[in-house]
mmCIF file of all heavy atoms in Angstrom:
data_model
loop_
_atom_site.group_PDB
_atom_site.id
_atom_site.type_symbol
_atom_site.label_atom_id
_atom_site.label_comp_id
_atom_site.label_asym_id
_atom_site.label_seq_id
_atom_site.Cartn_x
_atom_site.Cartn_y
_atom_site.Cartn_z
ATOM 1 N N ASN L 41 101.139 -32.464 -47.495
ATOM 2 C CA ASN L 41 101.657 -32.488 -46.122
ATOM 3 C C ASN L 41 102.240 -31.143 -45.701
ATOM 4 O O ASN L 41 102.312 -30.850 -44.503
ATOM 5 C CB ASN L 41 102.717 -33.579 -45.984
ATOM 6 C CG ASN L 41 102.128 -34.982 -46.097
ATOM 7 O OD1 ASN L 41 100.978 -35.197 -45.716
ATOM 8 N ND2 ASN L 41 102.910 -35.917 -46.631
ATOM 9 N N ALA L 42 102.647 -30.329 -46.682
ATOM 10 C CA ALA L 42 103.234 -29.029 -46.346
ATOM 11 C C ALA L 42 102.181 -27.983 -46.015
ATOM 12 O O ALA L 42 102.491 -26.955 -45.410
ATOM 13 C CB ALA L 42 104.097 -28.535 -47.508
ATOM 14 N N VAL L 43 100.932 -28.221 -46.421
ATOM 15 C CA VAL L 43 99.850 -27.275 -46.123
ATOM 16 C C VAL L 43 99.478 -27.400 -44.658
ATOM 17 O O VAL L 43 99.293 -28.509 -44.154
ATOM 18 C CB VAL L 43 98.616 -27.555 -47.012
ATOM 19 C CG1 VAL L 43 97.473 -26.631 -46.632
ATOM 20 C CG2 VAL L 43 98.984 -27.381 -48.477
ATOM 21 N N PRO L 44 99.388 -26.294 -43.907
ATOM 22 C CA PRO L 44 99.014 -26.375 -42.481
ATOM 23 C C PRO L 44 97.729 -27.176 -42.277
ATOM 24 O O PRO L 44 96.795 -27.105 -43.078
ATOM 25 C CB PRO L 44 98.836 -24.906 -42.082
ATOM 26 C CG PRO L 44 99.708 -24.154 -43.030
ATOM 27 C CD PRO L 44 99.661 -24.909 -44.322
ATOM 28 N N ALA L 45 97.676 -27.945 -41.190
ATOM 29 C CA ALA L 45 96.578 -28.881 -40.951
ATOM 30 C C ALA L 45 95.228 -28.187 -40.794
ATOM 31 O O ALA L 45 94.185 -28.796 -41.008
ATOM 32 C CB ALA L 45 96.869 -29.723 -39.714
ATOM 33 N N GLN L 46 95.236 -26.908 -40.398
ATOM 34 C CA GLN L 46 93.978 -26.197 -40.182
ATOM 35 C C GLN L 46 93.417 -25.569 -41.446
ATOM 36 O O GLN L 46 92.406 -24.892 -41.407
ATOM 37 C CB GLN L 46 94.151 -25.119 -39.108
ATOM 38 C CG GLN L 46 94.998 -23.928 -39.510
ATOM 39 C CD GLN L 46 96.489 -24.163 -39.307
ATOM 40 O OE1 GLN L 46 96.917 -25.297 -39.098
ATOM 41 N NE2 GLN L 46 97.260 -23.089 -39.335
ATOM 42 N N GLU L 47 94.072 -25.793 -42.605
ATOM 43 C CA GLU L 47 93.623 -25.198 -43.860
ATOM 44 C C GLU L 47 92.979 -26.236 -44.765
ATOM 45 O O GLU L 47 93.271 -27.432 -44.684
ATOM 46 C CB GLU L 47 94.798 -24.544 -44.597
ATOM 47 C CG GLU L 47 95.351 -23.306 -43.916
ATOM 48 C CD GLU L 47 96.424 -22.629 -44.755
ATOM 49 O OE1 GLU L 47 96.586 -23.014 -45.939
ATOM 50 O OE2 GLU L 47 97.087 -21.724 -44.239
ATOM 51 N N ARG L 48 92.118 -25.758 -45.634
ATOM 52 C CA ARG L 48 91.513 -26.603 -46.665
ATOM 53 C C ARG L 48 92.533 -26.835 -47.773
ATOM 54 O O ARG L 48 93.292 -25.927 -48.144
ATOM 55 C CB ARG L 48 90.280 -25.898 -47.236
ATOM 56 C CG ARG L 48 89.615 -26.630 -48.392
ATOM 57 C CD ARG L 48 88.651 -25.711 -49.122
ATOM 58 N NE ARG L 48 87.515 -25.370 -48.299
ATOM 59 C CZ ARG L 48 86.359 -26.035 -48.288
ATOM 60 N NH1 ARG L 48 86.216 -27.097 -49.064
ATOM 61 N NH2 ARG L 48 85.362 -25.635 -47.535
ATOM 62 N N VAL L 49 92.531 -28.049 -48.334
ATOM 63 C CA VAL L 49 93.412 -28.349 -49.456
ATOM 64 C C VAL L 49 92.587 -29.002 -50.556
ATOM 65 O O VAL L 49 91.675 -29.792 -50.285
ATOM 66 C CB VAL L 49 94.589 -29.268 -49.031
ATOM 67 C CG1 VAL L 49 94.100 -30.630 -48.579
ATOM 68 C CG2 VAL L 49 95.586 -29.423 -50.172
ATOM 69 N N ALA L 50 92.870 -28.638 -51.791
ATOM 70 C CA ALA L 50 92.170 -29.205 -52.938
ATOM 71 C C ALA L 50 93.185 -29.843 -53.876
ATOM 72 O O ALA L 50 94.333 -29.397 -53.969
ATOM 73 C CB ALA L 50 91.386 -28.118 -53.675
ATOM 74 N N VAL L 51 92.755 -30.890 -54.548
ATOM 75 C CA VAL L 51 93.574 -31.546 -55.573
ATOM 76 C C VAL L 51 92.779 -31.490 -56.873
ATOM 77 O O VAL L 51 91.623 -31.942 -56.923
ATOM 78 C CB VAL L 51 93.898 -33.002 -55.192
ATOM 79 C CG1 VAL L 51 94.769 -33.638 -56.282
ATOM 80 C CG2 VAL L 51 94.592 -33.062 -53.843
ATOM 81 N N VAL L 52 93.383 -30.920 -57.911
ATOM 82 C CA VAL L 52 92.678 -30.698 -59.172
ATOM 83 C C VAL L 52 93.544 -31.188 -60.322
ATOM 84 O O VAL L 52 94.764 -30.961 -60.348
ATOM 85 C CB VAL L 52 92.351 -29.195 -59.366
ATOM 86 C CG1 VAL L 52 91.522 -29.000 -60.626
ATOM 87 C CG2 VAL L 52 91.606 -28.648 -58.154
ATOM 88 N N ASP L 53 92.903 -31.872 -61.261
ATOM 89 C CA ASP L 53 93.606 -32.311 -62.467
ATOM 90 C C ASP L 53 93.680 -31.132 -63.440
ATOM 91 O O ASP L 53 92.658 -30.504 -63.734
ATOM 92 C CB ASP L 53 92.853 -33.482 -63.115
ATOM 93 C CG ASP L 53 93.689 -34.190 -64.166
ATOM 94 O OD1 ASP L 53 94.062 -33.540 -65.162
ATOM 95 O OD2 ASP L 53 93.940 -35.386 -63.991
ATOM 96 N N PRO L 54 94.879 -30.808 -63.967
ATOM 97 C CA PRO L 54 95.001 -29.671 -64.901
ATOM 98 C C PRO L 54 94.155 -29.826 -66.159
ATOM 99 O O PRO L 54 93.877 -28.842 -66.841
ATOM 100 C CB PRO L 54 96.500 -29.664 -65.247
ATOM 101 C CG PRO L 54 97.162 -30.375 -64.114
ATOM 102 C CD PRO L 54 96.182 -31.429 -63.675
#
Side-chain angles (χ1 to χ4, degrees):
N41 292 329
V43 176
Q46 70 275 13
E47 291 185 10
R48 176 195 292 267
V49 64
V51 181
V52 185
D53 194 298

